[in-house]
Amino acid sequence: MNIKNNALKNSRSVFINKKYIEVNGGKSLEGKIKISGAKNSALVLMATSILSKGQINLFNVPQITDVAIMSKILTSMGMNIKSNEDKLEINSKSILHQPQEVFTNLFHSLRASFFCIGPILARLGSANIPLPGGCSIGSRPIDEHIIALEKLGVQFKFKNNYLIAEVITPKKRLIGALIKFNCKSVGATKTLIMAASLAKGRTILKNSSQEPEIVDLANILNKMGAKVKGAGTECITIEGVESLEGCDYRVMPDRIEAGTYLIAAAMTRSKITFSSIEPKHLKEVIKKLEMCGCKFEYSDKFLKIIPNQILNSVDITTLPYPGFPTDLQAPFMALMTTANGVSTIKETVFENRMHHVKELNKMGAQISLKDNTAKVVGVKKLKASSVIGFDLRGTAALAIAGLYANGKSIIQGLEHLERGYEDFALKLKKIGAEIKHKKQN
Ligand code: EPZ
């Protein structure tokens, strides 16, 4: 049977997205990958610029659609943004105003837009922004953000899917408070650090998230004149200041992009060298890949992975940092489909992050799912197929499986990948993968 025609024929019948990836898999890869700046840091650093009366120059910003959307959102508030390759110049000298209603759909399309609420409240004393929706991986509530901001003196009303927030303290300035989050929330921790940086007095955040992106946020704020201590631990202290200045800042390397390509290297049993990578952000991922049978060579600027031909099955449970990251659950599951033995993959962070199971099974994987735990029985081969990616990291997982399967696979959902991976196909092509971005005419 001709895989190509069959995959294309099948895919036409179920095409739900116009853009797709075509991968001709089964090849071993070789060469170097340069890691880009971190999406989940760049987006919040862009929102932080709202706090500054000066100009923020960001370097190493990934050129992805989420960054483009965030730029449009900041522009809608009267900010001035100039971009030049991986550099963003942002200044909010011009009078900031509430986002225009016309941009509602932009806010709905980018969950990270909610990072703007803390800075807008700190700068303007009120915020009027669309409620962020849920997404394919979960309901994505914002209760931790709301409860904590209320302690800083914010009153909330909800009207036609909009959040109307007012600072009800004297002079409409946020006031520092002691806050203990009920659950680990990366977003809520970021929101409160930004809001508290211009509040009156001290804010202490307990049960804070410890992700490296939070450390990146604290670093830029302290360069702007803020006083943030303890980022990266579960207890963060912020002494509010009167105002924040501009600065230059380089975005940290993207640990999730790096983990995705490390897993792709392991999957294709390829020796790949990585530059602009921060191995200390990937300790748990590297540990699990070593348990699979991969070896690593470190130098001050590079990391090289040397996978075994036979990979051992390894169990993972996703956890807040420094545990195994939920954003690499899907790519790691793809890897386990061809490992030797049975692995258990437990997702504890998001309630609906297993869309890739059915699609991987279409490629010949043997995965059974109960609640949020997948049991993966390793198989010798995967078959090139036409599959559909439903979210950013699930689509990356399917592309990784396509790199392994002999023959031509069609992976729909390219628009998901373009949101979070800079030059996804180009980076893989440079190490020998036969992979193309395509558009159904
Ligand atoms: C950030 O999302 C990342 N996004 C996610 O990356 C990442 O998966 C997640 O952190 C966890 O590491 C960005 O940084 C733009 P959370 P965020 O608040 O901040 C519950 C990717 O693929 N929760 O830590 O939204 C929530 O339901 C994306 O790059 C509440 O209950 O994550 C979830 O179960 C996906 N109440 C858990 O906490 C709240 O108020 C983690 O959410 C907030 C969160």
Side-chain angles (χ1 to χ4, degrees), residues 183-441:
C183 78
K184 291 271 184 188
S185 164
V186 173
T189 303
K190 291 175 178 175
T191 294
L192 270 291
I193 291 173
M194 292 187 280
S197 58
L198 286 179
K200 183 171 170 35
R202 173 179 294 176
T203 298
I204 298 174
L205 304 179
K206 288 193 176 288
N207 197 25
S208 303
S209 291
Q210 299 171 254
E211 275 67 6
E213 292 76 18
I214 289 168
V215 178
D216 226 23
L217 172 61
N219 290 342
I220 191 172
L221 279 167
N222 288 336
K223 269 193 97 171
M224 293 159 68
K227 292 180 182 148
V228 183
K229 285 204 180 77
T233 73
E234 291 183 307
C235 181
I236 299 173
T237 304
I238 305 107
E239 300 292 349
V241 295
E242 296 300 318
S243 69
L244 293 170
E245 299 314 313
C247 75
D248 288 2
Y249 194 79
R250 184 173 179 79
V251 179
M252 63 175 263
D254 192 322
R255 62 192 171 98
I256 305 301
E257 183 201 23
T260 304
Y261 291 129
L262 281 169
I263 291 169
M267 184 76 170
T268 53
R269 285 39 171 196
S270 308
K271 294 176 187 151
I272 306 293
T273 301
F274 292 84
S275 62
S276 309
I277 189 170
E278 187 49 89
K280 73 178 182 194
H281 293 159
L282 286 152
K283 278 191 190 138
E284 189 60 21
V285 177
I286 290 171
K287 189 182 97 184
K288 291 292 183 182
L289 288 172
E290 283 171 335
M291 288 165 68
C292 288
C294 299
K295 297 219 175 341
F296 290 87
E297 285 170 10
Y298 296 81
S299 72
D300 62 334
K301 292 245 177 302
F302 298 101
L303 173 71
K304 182 173 183 180
I305 182 172
I306 302 125
N308 239 1
Q309 278 312 310
I310 296 176
L311 293 179
N312 315 315
S313 290
V314 167
D315 297 345
I316 61 162
T317 299
T318 66
L319 287 168
Y321 193 89
F324 192 94
T326 172
D327 295 346
L328 290 175
Q329 176 260 103
F332 195 85
M333 188 185 293
L335 178 65
M336 288 298 99
T337 61
T338 65
N340 193 15
V342 180
S343 69
T344 302
I345 294 187
K346 194 167 179 342
E347 172 58 59
T348 70
V349 177
F350 289 110
E351 71 269 24
N352 194 17
R353 198 169 203 177
M354 292 284 185
H355 303 294
H356 42 282
V357 168
K358 189 163 137 273
E359 302 304 303
L360 286 169
N361 282 341
K362 275 185 202 166
M363 299 180 79
Q366 281 186 22
I367 309 168
S368 54
L369 192 53
K370 186 169 182 327
D371 302 330
N372 265 324
T373 301
K375 188 177 141 204
V376 187
V377 179
V379 294
K380 290 264 174 287
K381 286 204 169 309
L382 291 177
K383 64 182 189 307
S385 316
S386 171
V387 288
I388 301 173
F390 292 96
D391 57 70
L392 171 56
R393 309 301 177 183
T395 309
L398 296 173
I400 289 170
L403 288 171
Y404 180 87
N406 269 314
K408 203 171 286 296
S409 293
I410 306 276
I411 297 135
Q412 294 181 53
L414 173 56
E415 68 287 354
H416 297 305
L417 283 179
E418 290 172 329
R419 294 188 60 136
Y421 290 99
E422 184 180 62
D423 293 338
F424 184 83
L426 183 63
K427 290 190 179 186
L428 288 168
K429 226 182 279 183
K430 278 189 181 161
I431 57 172
E434 271 190 55
I435 178 169
K436 286 183 208 137
H437 286 185
K438 305 271 279 195
K439 191 166 181 153
Q440 195 214 15
N441 41 34

Side-chain angles (χ1 to χ4, degrees), residues 84-97:
N84 173 13
E85 293 186 350
D86 72 340
K87 182 181 173 186
L88 273 187
E89 291 176 6
I90 311 175
N91 81 51
S92 58
K93 276 192 202 99
S94 54
I95 305 293
L96 261 177
H97 48 74

